[in-house]
Amino acid sequence: QVQLVESGGGSVQAGGSLRLSCVASEYASSDNCMAWFRQAPGKEREGVAAISPAGGVTYYVDSVKGRFTISRDNAKKMVYLQMNSLKPEDTAMYYCAARYGGCGVDSFSLSQYRYWGQGTQVTVSS
């Protein structure tokens, strides 16, 4: 059973930065596509960023391109999301997720992800 634990959330002002971290349990595989999703109150969960198993390919939703960067350290079983130039609309619960194999064209398909963390709250004030 793969377990994911997020950290790094918090409250910042618009324009600020946060770095989210996700640590995977010992049973996690470096062959997993990893992703960050977010869910704001009253809205559906949406994909934010995904990274291929080896880390060479990344995917971003248009609204965060140029501001967020996803990365991973397979030796430490860690995935990160560096968030810069934060906006109030980035306010949400952020979740780390893992799926078997590569990310592919459906990298933000919720049903493809088998393992989920409990989430970490990000609040951006104007």
Side-chain angles (χ1 to χ4, degrees):
Q1 181 73 13
V2 175
Q3 293 183 326
L4 304 172
V5 179
E6 305 95 335
S7 62
S11 297
V12 296
Q13 290 189 330
S17 298
L18 284 173
R19 188 194 194 204
L20 306 184
S21 298
C22 171
V23 58
S25 65
E26 60 180 306
Y27 299 106
S29 169
S30 60
D31 293 333
N32 294 335
C33 167
M34 301 293 296
W36 287 94
F37 288 78
R38 66 185 180 187
Q39 187 167 19
K43 295 187 177 181
E44 294 184 352
R45 190 170 298 190
E46 66 168 350
V48 176
I51 187 166
S52 62
V57 183
T58 55
Y59 307 80
Y60 297 96
V61 68
D62 286 347
S63 60
V64 308
K65 285 181 180 177
R67 299 189 298 122
F68 291 10
T69 302
I70 188 171
S71 61
R72 65 191 295 166
D73 183 335
N74 286 339
K76 297 181 178 179
K77 297 188 184 295
M78 296 289 295
V79 180
Y80 307 98
L81 185 68
Q82 178 67 43
M83 305 186 296
N84 298 328
S85 301
L86 282 161
K87 304 176 181 180
E89 50 263 45
D90 294 318
T91 295
M93 185 73 77
Y94 282 72
Y95 298 90
C96 178
R99 59 184 279 183
Y100 294 122
C103 300
V105 295
D106 59 347
S107 55
F108 294 145
S109 173
L110 275 72
S111 62
Q112 297 296 321
Y113 288 84
R114 180 169 183 174
Y115 303 105
W116 294 84
Q118 294 300 307
T120 185
Q121 178 67 38
V122 172
T123 302
V124 185
S125 59
S126 58

